[in-house]
Amino acid sequence: MTARVALLVALLATQSAVAKDMNGKFGLGISQTFGGVSGFGFQYYFTRSLALDVDVGVSFASTPDGQSSTAFVGGLGIFYALVQHRTANLLIGLRGDFGVRSAPSDAPETTLADAVNRSTTPEETAFSGSVFQFNLEIPLVIEFFFSDSVSFHVAAGALLVFVPEQGAFLDAKGVAFESSSFILALGSGGFLGSAGVTFWF
């Protein structure tokens, strides 16, 4: 009996020594979600197995005729480490991806007479103002640690895409939008479609 207890204690001690303790760790890196957010990634483990994930990115574009567009994208999620080893972790999470884009209208100016006369109504495909898009994903993440300070990760999983009337602008990996207004995709992401690198403090 004493030998069995000693063996059990030894096994538990070995597992504790092998598993990487991420409690209190803060990570800064480059990431891309398969819901369409690319930019800087921030992670913080507030327990040994639970982590908060924040991703942000911004882009600016202009055309030769002076028109400009600004887009801000972000992601917010929470992750749980299903399996933790010394050099690798397996995590599952829930993350919301969102984007806001301001863009000028390509439609010609409309007068009151044009509004009455349907033959001169601007094209229905032209929109103005801000566009908002939201995606929801359930990622399964494999994270490999090159050292205690640097890790590389890839992800795949389930993705829900809510396409705005103006059209999608979040580049969801492996998803064809066409004229859809809602998409459910399984297995999105992949080896490079959601890859990222994190430096841990």
Side-chain angles (χ1 to χ4, degrees), residues 75-92:
L76 178 63
I78 188 167
F79 286 81
Y80 175 74
L82 296 172
V83 181
Q84 290 179 306
H85 290 296
R86 178 61 185 168
T87 58
N89 288 339
L90 177 65
L91 306 100
I92 190 170

Side-chain angles (χ1 to χ4, degrees), residues 161-176:
V161 180
F162 303 91
V163 183
E165 184 181 1
Q166 296 90 333
F169 67 94
L170 286 179
D171 184 19
K173 309 302 178 184
V175 177

